[in-house]
Amino acid sequence: NRHYDIGNYTSNAGVVVPCPDGTFVTFSGAYDVGRGGLTFYRIAATGDTLYTKTYWYPERTVLISGGASSALLSNQDIVYCGGITDSGGVNINSTIIRFDYFGNMLDYYQSPISTDDKLNTLCILGDSVVVAAGFANDSATNVADILVIRYDLNAQSASHYIYPMPSNQTAIRIKAL
């Protein structure tokens, strides 16, 4: 059992991605005065931290716990989905991020939807299409609908689909068939 601390504030690590070389990757939200971030950890099979990399966002907080997801691509890149919000905890936006093996950020996509929206789960189609699902909150009715985003990593383009629900709903699992 090991404790990984990145300083002033750490949200719970919400996802763990096992890698073929025996290492694993996890992510944590980070907070420092006036900024929030996302920390990428690569951990050895022994539990030792091989390296970390934190990406900071001014006046933003990255949401990890309570639903986020990651997947390993065949080329060893890792895709993360979740959400970011301002430091007050409002205005959540869905986020899809791709990292290489070493934690370098390759792609960053943030949903332009004007409602509170967050991704909870993802699946990979082939090696280039991420299908992620979560919720989009309709501020007029305060009802959360199902949100699905199809993001093409090669074209760096996204399509959004919102499925209205009669009561608050969120996608918790998505699977390619």
Side-chain angles (χ1 to χ4, degrees), residues 60-136:
R60 305 296 276 180
T61 301
V62 177
L63 299 176
I64 301 286
S65 58
S69 189
S70 286
L72 182 69
L73 301 176
S74 65
N75 68 356
Q76 306 302 305
D77 287 354
I78 295 168
V79 177
Y80 162 85
C81 77
I84 64 171
T85 182
D86 62 28
S87 58
V90 295
N91 302 320
I92 302 168
N93 293 105
S94 295
T95 304
I96 298 171
I97 307 171
R98 179 172 57 156
F99 298 91
D100 69 10
Y101 180 90
F102 300 101
N104 298 309
M105 190 181 296
L106 302 175
D107 292 317
Y108 176 86
Y109 172 77
Q110 183 175 323
S111 168
I113 297 174
S114 61
T115 62
D116 283 347
D117 56 286
K118 181 173 167 287
L119 299 170
N120 297 325
T121 184
L122 67 83
C123 69
I124 306 297
L125 304 178
D127 255 349
S128 63
V129 176
V130 176
V131 179
F135 71 86

